[in-house]
């Protein structure tokens, strides 16, 4: 049954400079909270908690508003907006961070009067684990589901805060390399299990074009990537993926294995649109009919045909 759960998301709201083999694009709308919220906006209401500087272009605010993202908790502070400069070389898997400037994010505190809001679902997108923890602590009551994402920088610079924060997280997303690094393991399954031991019931390890694998309690769900021949810019694919996962979970009556699997597939399909365009283009211009077509194509690509299934059963008898 389709449900409505309240969802709050936080993370970075950024101006990104992106270097890809196709060229360089300067100061486009980026940030984990922006990519995530734009994605969710196609399926479910979302409230964004974040901060921008007084140099943040009005057109980006309008874009988020026009997608129905609730910006009550998006604050503008004096000073420059968070900026990230990333470069992709070789396989378009992971960006090299050339520069990250936290700017106004450094002085930002969760903007809630006590008691803070209590959403059903809280997404703490990639930003410093201390800010993620503060935002969680500022909620009126603990949300039913707390989801979070992180990245290399925070594993390298603030591991103790990240590990402490993970004790409060239910659903944790991270990239393959980040998972191995944080778990200090060389194997995905061992890394996933070890990360579950740090707190989260569910750990989702993203493997770029190769899909993702989720460790959910005792269960494991593997989801292949959608095969694409043209990747222009994978920035934000992880946040778009998380947006798809949480859209499905928010619209399901319970946080079940089925809802999670549906979410992983929705997230995979949405992320495939994200990497085909630069910046937030994929989610800005998402066409739901094209998404449906891609879903049908994904089913054909990943499904086991009845003939192959019967043949395999026979072979293995
Ligand atoms: P993704 O490609 O999904 O990992 O997300 C990329 C987005 O995260 C970009 O739009 C950046 O603005 C933002 N970003 C990059 N580094 C950081 C960081 N250390 N903390 C928060 N956001 C970041």
């Amino acid at each position: 049954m389709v449900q409505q759960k309240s969802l709050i998301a936080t993370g970075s709201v950024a101006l990104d400079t992106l270097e890809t083999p196709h060229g360089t694009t300067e100061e486009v709308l980026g940030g984990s909270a922006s990519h995530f919220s734009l994605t969710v906006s196609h399926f479910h209401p979302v409230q964004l908690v974040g901060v921008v500087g007084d140099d943040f272009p009005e057109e980006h605010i309008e874009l988020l508003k026009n997608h129905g993202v609730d910006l009550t908790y998006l604050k503008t502070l004096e000073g420059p907006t968070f900026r990230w400069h990333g470069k992709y070389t070789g396989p378009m898997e992971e960006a090299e961070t050339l520069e990250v400037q936290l700017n106004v994010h450094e002085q930002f505190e969760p903007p809630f009067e006590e008691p803070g809001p209590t959403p059903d679902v809280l997404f703490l997108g990639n930003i410093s684990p201390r800010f993620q923890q503060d935002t969680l602590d500022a909620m009126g009551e603990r949300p039913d589901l707390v989801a979070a994402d992180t990245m290399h920088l925070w594993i390298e610079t603030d591991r103790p805060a990240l590990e402490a924060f993970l004790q409060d997280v239910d659903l944790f997303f991270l990239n393959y390399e980040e998972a191995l690094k944080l778990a200090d393991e060389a194997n995905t399954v061992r890394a996933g299990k070890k990360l579950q031991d740090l707190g989260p019931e569910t750990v989702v390890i993203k493997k770029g074009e190769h899909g993702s694998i989720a460790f959910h309690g005792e269960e494991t769900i593997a989801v292949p990537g959608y095969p694409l021949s043209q990747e222009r810019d994978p920035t934000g694919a992880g946040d778009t993926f998380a947006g798809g996962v949480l859209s499905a979970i928010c619209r399901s009556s319970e946080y079940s294995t089925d809802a999670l699997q549906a979410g992983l597939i929705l997230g995979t399909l949405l992320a495939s649109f994200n990497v085909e365009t630069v910046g937030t283009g994929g989610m800005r211009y998402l066409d739901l009919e094209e998404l449906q077509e891609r879903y049908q194509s994904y089913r054909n690509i990943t499904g086991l045909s009845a003939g192959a299934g019967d043949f395999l059963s026979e072979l293995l008898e």
Side-chain angles (χ1 to χ4, degrees):
M1 191 182 36
V2 172
Q3 292 277 313
Q4 289 293 332
K5 295 195 179 87
S6 54
L7 170 65
I8 289 185
T10 191
S12 50
V13 179
L15 294 174
D16 284 353
T17 296
L18 310 165
E19 287 186 43
T20 75
H22 303 281
T24 299
T25 318
E26 292 188 9
E27 306 250 306
V28 291
L29 172 63
S32 52
S34 319
H35 284 286
F36 177 88
S37 304
L38 266 179
T39 305
V40 172
S41 71
H42 294 281
F43 305 96
H44 194 77
V46 56
Q47 235 180 351
L48 188 160
V49 176
V51 63
V52 293
D54 48 17
D55 57 353
F56 192 68
E58 188 57 30
E59 65 180 274
H60 298 335
I61 303 268
E62 288 306 311
L63 171 76
L64 291 163
K65 274 192 190 156
N66 290 341
H67 275 79
V69 178
D70 181 336
L71 298 182
T72 312
Y73 297 127
L74 179 69
K75 298 294 164 204
T76 303
L77 294 184
E78 222 174 279
T81 299
F82 182 110
R83 276 173 173 74
W84 180 70
H85 184 167
K87 182 175 179 178
Y88 297 89
T89 39
M92 303 272 278
E93 280 296 292
E94 202 162 339
E96 181 193 345
T97 294
L98 299 181
E99 194 178 16
V100 54
Q101 297 172 17
L102 300 183
N103 294 334
V104 286
H105 221 292
E106 268 179 307
Q107 324 131 34
F108 183 53
E109 289 176 5
F112 309 121
E113 310 225 328
E114 283 195 28
T118 302
D120 297 312
V121 178
L122 176 65
F123 176 67
L124 299 155
N126 176 29
I127 194 65
S128 81
R130 284 166 204 270
F131 180 78
Q132 291 175 312
Q133 183 80 62
D134 287 350
T135 309
L136 174 58
D137 294 344
M139 295 293 118
E141 283 173 35
R142 190 186 191 279
D144 292 340
L145 185 76
V146 177
D149 193 354
T150 195
M151 74 182 290
H152 278 298
L153 178 69
W154 311 115
I155 300 173
E156 280 155 20
T157 60
D158 219 352
R159 182 187 278 259
L162 178 59
E163 288 188 2
F165 162 66
L166 282 181
Q167 293 174 16
D168 286 335
V169 171
D170 303 308
L171 167 54
F172 184 40
F173 297 92
L174 75 180
N175 289 346
Y176 173 64
E177 287 80 9
E178 292 158 354
L180 298 189
K181 183 189 250 182
L182 185 58
D184 197 16
E185 281 288 352
N187 167 282
T188 313
V189 178
R190 284 201 306 271
K193 299 277 176 208
K194 212 161 156 183
L195 294 174
Q196 278 183 307
D197 289 341
L198 293 178
E201 183 198 2
T202 313
V203 172
V204 178
I205 299 181
K206 300 171 282 177
K207 293 188 156 187
E209 67 170 321
H210 305 294
S212 61
I213 181 157
F215 302 94
H216 177 58
E218 294 296 311
E219 295 177 90
T220 303
I221 309 168
V223 167
Y226 182 80
L228 286 177
S229 59
Q230 272 292 346
E231 288 170 292
R232 290 193 70 80
D233 169 27
T235 308
D239 309 306
T240 296
F241 173 80
V245 174
L246 288 178
S247 294
I249 290 172
C250 282
R251 293 191 54 183
S252 139
S253 53
E254 51 171 355
Y255 178 43
S256 61
T257 307
D258 285 345
L260 177 62
Q261 187 182 20
L264 293 169
I265 292 171
L266 180 60
T268 301
L269 296 172
L270 292 167
S272 73
F273 286 99
N274 174 93
V275 305
E276 283 179 324
T277 62
V278 178
T280 51
M283 288 306 101
R284 198 182 287 206
Y285 303 113
L286 180 70
D287 176 341
L288 291 177
E289 268 180 38
E290 269 183 58
L291 174 62
Q292 272 179 10
E293 281 165 24
R294 197 162 283 191
Y295 170 52
Q296 289 311 328
S297 147
Y298 185 83
R299 289 187 75 151
N300 294 337
I301 292 167
T302 58
L304 182 66
S305 73
D310 291 347
F311 180 44
L312 268 173
S313 304
E314 219 176 287
L315 269 176
L316 297 175
E317 250 170 34

